[in-house]
Amino acid sequence: MRKPEIREKILEFIRHSFDERGYAPTVRDIVKGCNLSSTSVAQHHLNTLEKEGRIHRDPQVVRSIQLMKKDIVEVPLLGAIAAGKPIPVPSSDTWTTPPEETLKLTADMIGNKSNIYALKIKGTSMLDALIDDGDIVVMEAVSTAEDGQMVAVWLKDEQEATLKKIYREPGRIRLQPANKQMKPIYVKPQNIEVQGKVVAVLRRLSR
Amino acid sequence: MRKPEIREKILEFIRHSFDERGYAPTVRDIVKGCNLSSTSVAQHHLNTLEKEGRIHRDPQVVRSIQLMKKDIVEVPLLGAIAAGKPIPVPSSDTWTTPPEETLKLTADMIGNKSNIYALKIKGTSMLDALIDDGDIVVMEAVSTAEDGQMVAVWLKDEQEATLKKIYREPGRIRLQPANKQMKPIYVKPQNIEVQGKVVAVLRRLSR
DNA sequence: TGTTCTATAGAACACTCGTTAAATATAAAT
DNA sequence: ATTTATATTTAACGAGTGTTCTATAGAACA
């Protein structure tokens, strides 16, 4: 008899415990809070939850339950971006090598996306996207995008990277600047390469 | 004999414990980690730290130490901003009334400032500040600002709010748009009213 | 000088904790 | 029907926990 509902209830109770009290519940707290009949029941479900990777516990340690979902995510902060050069895309070892610069973001800013990284913009080549020198652009590393989304594209002929809203039109692609006062440019489909979606833009002032 | 150093060491150890293990240490963990000679010593310093408001503990509860410094701050998210109207400044009850919309930010984004609030921009009247429709501006509610800082000012004569860098010049004040391609405007000192400093700008896309 | 406040020291108490074991119950699979 | 995997029940052990008590020591202060 699979019983996922009771484990969801336990997870919910653990979350509630962190919210209300600031720390994890004990096994016996869970017994009371979820109307279980015995510590063994709780123990059993906690072991299952740990096997499923939903929680982590340190053996023998009181109140050591940790939920695996995070409120703060650290994303790699890649180097400068310059006019006439492709936007840096993280390589496979960029995701693993830790001693790089990172940026802390609240999880609700990026939803539950993965492959997120950030770029620090140098120079004013992105002014038409309302992005200033020093701004930080949060990107999702994807190679496809839906119409209307703000994407980073590499223009092969022009050897230039740019941030625009993308619209597919018959025989051509329209790239629309975020600043609506500026006119769109049109390119041939084979001339562009989508390097990522823009998830957010961040400007820090008054430091 | 005041001994603040040892308490700083204890606080540092607690922080370290949260970072490394994800939960608070026990009294005896602290004894070992800070080379104390007895649980009573740790107990005494923990009681003092709690009196000072630096930590909080629930009596009799294992691993219930909580640091009072927060990693995530919730700031009130005030309503729209429109051309020709002053930028909303939170009133005293805005700070206390909780059931409003809030925005979660990482603490390192705003430093250790207080009186922080956020504005959701409606319309494109702030384009010269590289701020688009839908952007969120994080503000610090102050009435004075240093030269070069990005501030929200209310132009009395024009009955208009705007975001500019402020520079005091002899007999006049220069308001410089963030977009350097645009020209500054000059106003009389008695014509402007500083409503706050811009701490950060935030643009969320691809939702 | 004596008093007061803070810090340190060692020991002990009462209690809660995570864990385990053995037996049983229930559901799914073959 | 038999086997297998999952779920529940009851009970208990031993280790670790926050707390308290008493005693000592030094510094600040009047």
Side-chain angles (χ1 to χ4, degrees), chain A residues 120-175:
Chain A
K120 183 146 200 171
I121 307 294
K122 295 270 180 200
T124 55
S125 61
M126 301 285 170
L127 263 185
D128 65 332
L130 296 174
I131 289 168
D132 200 5
D133 180 51
D135 285 6
I136 288 169
V137 177
V138 182
M139 305 272 315
E140 181 186 8
V142 292
S143 52
T144 59
E146 294 162 31
D147 273 21
Q149 282 182 333
M150 177 87 79
V151 294
V153 294
W154 173 245
L155 304 175
K156 294 175 190 165
D157 291 352
E158 293 84 351
Q159 287 285 298
E160 196 176 299
T162 180
L163 299 178
K164 297 269 193 309
K165 286 190 184 174
I166 191 170
Y167 294 93
R168 272 162 265 267
E169 297 187 354
R172 64 181 186 181
I173 288 176
R174 173 162 55 95
L175 297 176

Side-chain angles (χ1 to χ4, degrees), chain B residues 89 114-115 117 139-145 149 151-152 194-197:
Chain B
V89 176
S114 52
N115 275 26
Y117 64 102
M139 304 272 314
E140 182 186 6
V142 292
S143 53
T144 59
Q149 282 181 334
V151 292
V194 174
Q195 299 186 290
K197 283 196 285 194

Side-chain angles (χ1 to χ4, degrees), chain A residues 3 6 34 54 59 62 69 94 120 125 151-152 155 169 199 207:
Chain A
K3 282 246 181 151
I6 182 63
C34 299
R54 320 263 315 253
V62 185
K69 194 188 155 246
T94 313
K120 183 146 200 171
S125 61
V151 294
L155 304 175
E169 297 187 354
V199 176
R207 215 144 244 273

